[in-house]
Amino acid sequence: MFRNLGKLKYKTYTNIIQIDLKNLKDDINFTEEFIIYKNNNDLSIYDRICDHNSGKLISKNNKTFCPMHNWEFLPKKGCYTNGLKKNKKNFEIKNGKIFVQESKLEPHIKFFDKDIDVKVRYINHAFLIVESKDFKFATDPWALGPAFNTGWWLKHKTIDNWVDELNSCDFIYISHNHPDHCHELTLSYINKEIPIIVPDFVTNSTGLLIEDLGFKNINNMVFENQYQFRDTDLIFTIFKSGDLREDSGLYFSVGKFKCLLTVDANNLNFLRLPKVDLFASSFAGGAHGYPLNCENYELKDRKKMIIMDKNFIKQTKFKYLEKIKPTYFLPYAGFFKEKLKRDEMYIKYNKKNETADYVSICEKYNINLLDPEKENIFEFSNNKTFKASKYSGKFFKDLSSDEYLKYFTNKYQKIDLDYIKKYFLNSNFHDESKLYISLTNDEFKTLGLDFKVEFSKDIKFNIINENFQDFVNKDYNYLYLKIRKEAFLNTIYNKRSWEDISIGFQNRQFRNPNKYNSDFWHHFSNIYVSKKFVKSVTDCSNCVVLNQDIHNMLFKNENRDTVNRNLENNI
């Protein structure tokens, strides 16, 4: 079905950047592109891209850090404060000048030299359907209900016949394991024999989740390998994000027509980007629990950081557009909103970019901006003519957000302490840090169940019945999480990613020291997930929302009254 055509080919373009040696002082120096550490005649040169989330390293108060998530870099040591080393740049010195060679690699996918009609339909958020006369595939379908433990909600209505549309696809691409891209309730409607293509991450985090959901035809695609779908004119490859996260994007050709979907991956393919006709990318920002959930900062500072992040996302996309200069730009994978009253702080302060923010940059480079909020069907004919139109049919009628929340909170009431203890003891995570957790209500008021996990060689789990805050205040090297009870239980009972908690606005956190523990979040978001690795079993499975049965039971009937009766009968 997917014929491997071999590795993607690159063209190399070399650029030499010159820096006057006389302008450098001993210690740390900054240029637009580089951080240069000078110690007498010894030089170390690093780029300014943060290795965590592709933000830009800056200097303030004698610290070099990324303002997105507060990663601090130590130029003298060549590593971040969490120990992660940063690669040095190669350079040479001639006649008092430093020459840093930057090799620009541009990928070129194979294609058939003919004009073919291609239709791209925006359905919702990152859910697209791409089709031609010989194929039809979907990306990251999220069609109904919430994501991230009820933290995220779709901004737009979904077409009424989305189930039929998905089940008529030749295959579905899932970019990564976040629930706004790998949405379990949506996928519960899909024929389990439909081929699913996923990135071949080292941990196989996405493939394992798809396997947990019962799909039988899972295809792990090696990064930068080119694949032809059957005998059609569709050739595609998958790029990895250029940071520490497990995320991906899709680059494909249909005849002469070429398209790049970066989804919401940061620094995709390490910024080795192709020239394409259609470039589709996230654009909005606001897709983190941090910094609003981080109690190390005052609210006024968190609000400033949100604006910085919003502007950084926009500037990053500007650079993509400047580099690629596509004929068309489709902003997508950012159309979500906060909806519940309990998330009022995020509704009020979690500011996002709008499609209108990209009008000027598109005009500057003569790029056609495709706004899905105005038109959502895009037809590219023979790679020469273009037509945009708006869906005019019926829309799917979903349950209300309050109905979902009521069901969700009632289903996750029973606390299995034995399961929770075994969950952590069997996690195989050892970094000598400590984790404090308090289960809370909607307003993050503790419910009297507090515990401590020590990730030492022999992991320790203790329930703390008295003077919990005293334990926290006297400790060091810990992460303290206040987590809404139902979100915590849903995540660990169903063996899911802890980013469902953090990105979903379901926690408040305090860090001592105030550093992002990338090892912890990576382990519990990508490694210690799925039935394959989480062996603990709970005896309260009858109260757990399992997507393949309870979700189907709730939503298998299209009649709204029937759905509501089922909802009430099962609470």
Side-chain angles (χ1 to χ4, degrees), residues 333-449:
F335 292 109
F336 71 94
K337 61 183 179 180
E338 304 82 6
K339 216 171 181 182
L340 297 174
K341 185 178 180 180
R342 69 181 189 172
D343 293 326
E344 185 176 0
M345 181 172 74
Y346 285 90
I347 295 172
K348 188 174 182 179
Y349 299 124
N350 194 28
K351 304 298 183 182
K352 307 176 186 70
N353 295 308
E354 303 289 341
T355 52
D357 294 321
Y358 294 85
V359 171
S360 60
I361 189 70
C362 287
E363 288 177 346
K364 179 179 179 180
Y365 293 109
N366 197 28
I367 298 168
N368 296 285
L369 177 63
L370 309 182
D371 187 347
E373 299 195 289
K374 295 179 180 178
E375 296 161 319
N376 46 28
I377 302 172
F378 309 104
E379 299 176 71
F380 305 88
S381 299
N382 296 322
N383 211 32
K384 297 175 182 177
T385 61
F386 169 75
K387 177 184 175 183
S389 58
K390 191 172 182 65
Y391 173 78
S392 59
K394 294 181 180 180
F395 290 96
F396 179 77
K397 192 173 183 180
D398 203 353
L399 296 175
S400 72
S401 56
D402 287 338
E403 288 170 320
Y404 274 110
L405 179 62
K406 182 180 179 182
Y407 179 79
F408 186 67
T409 54
N410 277 276
K411 281 297 178 182
Y412 290 90
Q413 287 298 313
K414 186 175 179 182
I415 298 174
D416 186 338
L417 287 176
D418 184 61
Y419 176 92
I420 296 172
K421 180 178 180 179
K422 289 179 180 177
Y423 174 89
F424 287 108
L425 294 181
N426 296 330
S427 66
N428 198 30
F429 180 68
H430 312 276
D431 76 339
E432 301 301 326
S433 69
K434 284 149 281 187
L435 173 67
Y436 288 95
I437 291 181
S438 294
L439 299 189
T440 76
N441 63 9
D442 284 359
E443 287 72 41
F444 297 101
K445 303 298 183 184
T446 60
L447 300 175
L449 180 58

Side-chain angles (χ1 to χ4, degrees), residues 162-352:
W162 63 268
V163 176
D164 292 336
E165 288 282 4
L166 278 175
N167 279 304
S168 64
C169 285
D170 294 302
F171 64 91
I172 297 172
Y173 162 63
I174 304 294
S175 62
H176 59 296
N177 71 350
H178 284 173
D180 60 319
H181 299 268
C182 187
H183 192 254
E184 298 183 33
L185 177 56
T186 299
L187 292 173
S188 69
Y189 286 88
I190 309 307
N191 179 351
K192 298 304 178 287
E193 301 297 331
I194 285 182
I196 307 292
I197 65 170
V198 299
D200 193 24
F201 296 125
V202 172
T203 66
N204 195 24
S205 54
T206 305
L208 290 173
L209 176 53
I210 294 296
E211 185 178 336
D212 277 3
L213 300 181
F215 285 89
K216 310 297 184 185
N217 193 347
I218 305 169
N219 300 265
N220 288 59
M221 300 307 193
V222 176
F223 292 114
E224 299 180 65
N225 274 8
Q226 301 171 99
Y227 299 93
Q228 180 183 3
F229 174 63
R230 292 183 178 146
D231 292 324
T232 71
D233 298 305
L234 172 64
I235 298 172
F236 67 87
T237 189
I238 294 180
F239 288 144
K240 189 192 176 300
S241 59
D243 56 17
L244 299 179
R245 306 173 71 89
E246 295 201 343
D247 208 339
S248 72
L250 188 71
Y251 172 34
F252 66 88
S253 67
V254 185
K256 295 178 182 178
F257 178 83
K258 298 181 182 68
C259 176
L260 176 66
L261 310 177
T262 69
V263 199
D264 57 10
N266 294 308
N267 202 16
L268 186 70
N269 198 35
F270 306 93
L271 290 180
R272 300 173 301 182
L273 303 174
K275 302 294 185 183
V276 293
D277 301 290
L278 174 62
F279 170 56
S281 179
S282 63
F283 67 99
H288 305 283
Y290 181 91
L292 285 177
N293 68 350
C294 188
E295 295 180 338
N296 291 79
Y297 306 100
E298 294 183 17
L299 180 58
K300 63 181 179 64
D301 294 321
R302 293 182 237 172
K303 289 158 61 176
K304 292 177 183 177
M305 293 164 74
I306 284 287
I307 299 302
M308 290 174 63
D309 183 62
K310 171 178 173 287
N311 291 333
F312 172 79
I313 294 292
K314 184 166 61 176
Q315 292 302 318
T316 299
K317 300 308 170 185
F318 283 4
K319 290 180 180 179
Y320 273 52
L321 290 166
E322 181 181 10
K323 185 181 181 70
I324 298 171
K325 294 184 177 65
T327 307
Y328 305 94
F329 172 48
L330 173 62
Y332 85 129
F335 292 109
F336 71 94
K337 61 183 179 180
E338 304 82 6
K339 216 171 181 182
L340 297 174
K341 185 178 180 180
R342 69 181 189 172
D343 293 326
E344 185 176 0
M345 181 172 74
Y346 285 90
I347 295 172
K348 188 174 182 179
Y349 299 124
N350 194 28
K351 304 298 183 182
K352 307 176 186 70

Side-chain angles (χ1 to χ4, degrees), residues 112-138:
F112 292 95
D113 190 16
K114 52 185 174 180
D115 295 320
I116 298 173
D117 294 347
V118 180
K119 181 191 291 186
V120 178
R121 287 185 286 159
Y122 167 83
I123 308 300
N124 223 325
H125 190 55
F127 180 5
L128 302 177
I129 292 178
V130 181
E131 57 190 311
S132 187
K133 61 182 178 63
D134 293 327
F135 68 84
K136 177 180 178 181
F137 71 89

Side-chain angles (χ1 to χ4, degrees), residues 103-116:
S103 295
K104 306 290 185 181
L105 298 176
E106 184 179 298
H108 287 261
I109 198 167
K110 291 184 177 181
F111 66 96
F112 292 95
D113 190 16
K114 52 185 174 180
D115 295 320
I116 298 173

